[in-house]
Every structure is written in C-alpha cells, then in structure tokens.
Amino acid sequence: CDVLLECAADRKRSADHEQRWLTLTGFCMRPGAGAPLDAWRVRQAWGIFNEGMVHGKSEQVRLAWWVLWRRVAGGLTRGQQDQIFDRLQVALLPNSKQAKKLAEMKPSKQELAEMWRAVASMERLLVASKIKLCDELMHRLESRKGREEPAHLWALSRLAARVPLQGPLDAVISPRTVEAWLPLLVEWDWPEPEKAGFALAQLGRRTGDRVRDLDDASRARLARRLRT
C-alpha cells in the first residue's frame, strides 16, 4: 500500500494504469483502520478523492473508484463519509432539481450497484442520511426487478444493520424504524432466497442492547420467515 501511494501520480498514465492502481490500493489498504499509520494512509488516499478520477470516461475506472472507497470506508471520518454521500445522492436519491446533474453522470447499472455498496459501507453517516437511503431502497425493492438487483438488499442490510462493522453505535438506525419496514420485507417474494436470508438476518440480529434490538415479536416473525 505504501509503495502504491508513493507512485500515485503514475496512475494518470492511462485508464488501465488508473484502474489497476485504484483496485490494488483499495485491496491493500482495506479496511482503512487497525494497522499502524492507517490514518496517515487514508489521508494520503483522500487527496486522490479530492483530485477526482483522471480517466473518468472509462467505466472500469469508475467501478474501481467506488470499490476503493467501499473497501477503505472503515478508516474514513464522518466528514469524509458525508462528502461521499453528498457526491452520491445525486445518483441514488434523484429528484427533479438534480435531473441535470444525474444526466451528466450517466451511471451504468453496474456503477449504480457499486455506488450503493460504497455508500452503504459509510457507517458514520448521520442516521437521517441513512434513513433517506433506506427509504429509497424500500421503494426500489417494491418491484421484482428491484429485488433482482443484489446490491439493493445488500445495501439495506448494511445501512440498517444492528451491529456495525466499524461505525459508532449512535449511528445505528433505531429498531422502531426498522420494524416499520419489516412487514414488507418478510412478505415480499425474493428471487434468491438464500442470499436474502443472510441480509435480512442483519436487521434482526440480537445484540443484548435494548436501544438497538428489535422487539421479540418482530424478531420471531423474521425468524419464521427465514426458516421457510
């Protein structure tokens, strides 16, 4: 990772160079926390975020870009995660005022999936921002086509998880909010039940913390659905 950071400028030589650099740097740096000097490494990488993509017309570069920030999300501060959210909400939370910006971005289906995975890994986001994203995901999951996109349920399961991987407990969505989504989630027909089961389990996982745990009735209902 340190060698890659030293030669960061060489990523500009071509789209292939940039894609390889983004892929390798994210792979080597993940999760962005836990090793000596990781905070320094993330600061170095964040300078790349502020510069932006050099060969942004290449879809492979754009995909590698979002994969990098998903992989190192654990080392990003709340402010940095908020900046990524601000960048992504144009594509993920579209509205009439942002239609022009969305048209300029023109993300492909695969890029949108990586965007969802990236923003769902930002566990330090404000709860209000997470709820906005989850409400949009619930809307998309209403259609079978939306449920056929694996990134949608994966993102929901991370944003509304009871147990964060690296984020603080005060950024966990309240159980009452998740319980309001649960009736639909357990009734919907899932194209790939085995994958849906693991994701849904993250919403009902027992922690022993009353502030985060769903009520017993909700967890029992979810458990019955998972058994089927």
Side-chain angles (χ1 to χ4, degrees):
C1 179
D2 293 343
V3 171
L4 288 161
L5 289 172
E6 286 179 9
C7 67
D10 289 331
R11 78 189 190 283
K12 301 177 182 180
R13 291 169 59 183
S14 71
D16 284 344
H17 282 83
E18 185 170 23
Q19 184 264 324
R20 299 295 196 282
W21 187 91
L22 292 168
T23 299
L24 287 169
T25 301
F27 182 84
C28 293
M29 194 185 300
R30 67 179 177 176
L37 298 180
D38 267 356
W40 173 83
R41 294 184 181 97
V42 171
R43 286 197 299 272
Q44 297 297 110
W46 190 248
I48 304 301
F49 181 86
N50 290 327
E51 287 182 26
M53 289 172 275
V54 180
H55 304 279
K57 292 183 178 180
S58 165
E59 183 175 6
Q60 294 307 309
V61 169
R62 295 197 305 273
L63 295 176
W65 177 262
W66 296 118
V67 170
L68 165 63
W69 302 115
R70 166 167 57 85
R71 285 174 166 169
V72 305
L76 299 176
T77 66
R78 171 169 283 179
Q80 290 168 335
Q81 294 189 0
D82 284 341
Q83 286 187 54
I84 291 177
F85 170 71
D86 289 341
R87 183 82 59 89
L88 287 177
Q89 67 174 327
V90 174
L92 305 183
L93 303 174
N95 60 57
S96 56
K97 294 181 180 179
Q98 296 176 330
K100 184 177 179 180
K101 290 183 179 180
L102 180 59
E104 292 173 354
M105 291 179 71
K106 296 179 181 177
S108 66
K109 179 181 177 181
Q110 190 174 356
E111 186 180 0
L112 277 173
E114 293 301 344
M115 288 176 170
W116 275 115
R117 292 187 180 101
V119 78
S121 300
M122 306 295 157
E123 293 183 328
R124 295 184 176 88
L125 290 177
L126 296 173
V127 170
S129 298
K130 290 184 177 181
I131 291 175
K132 284 182 182 180
L133 292 164
C134 287
D135 284 339
E136 175 63 23
L137 286 165
M138 288 295 295
H139 173 68
R140 296 184 184 216
L141 289 168
E142 288 177 355
S143 69
R144 184 171 180 84
K145 183 177 180 181
R147 295 194 294 276
E148 288 174 349
E149 173 49 67
H152 289 160
L153 183 58
W154 187 93
L156 182 72
S157 74
R158 290 307 319 143
L159 288 164
R162 302 298 83 205
V163 181
L165 296 176
Q166 288 105 14
L169 298 184
D170 64 357
V172 173
I173 294 176
S174 76
R176 304 293 87 81
T177 302
V178 176
E179 286 163 4
W181 298 326
L182 206 56
L184 288 173
L185 291 169
V186 298
E187 293 299 328
W188 280 332
D189 176 36
W190 295 99
E192 298 183 273
E194 67 283 356
K195 293 182 180 179
F198 178 79
L200 293 174
Q202 306 312 303
L203 307 183
R205 183 174 172 183
R206 187 203 291 267
T207 70
D209 180 357
R210 289 180 297 175
V211 177
R212 289 182 286 149
D213 284 346
L214 305 188
D215 62 49
D216 289 344
S218 295
R219 283 192 299 104
R221 183 178 185 181
L222 177 57
R224 286 194 298 272
R225 176 60 168 151
L226 292 177
R227 277 193 287 271
T228 65

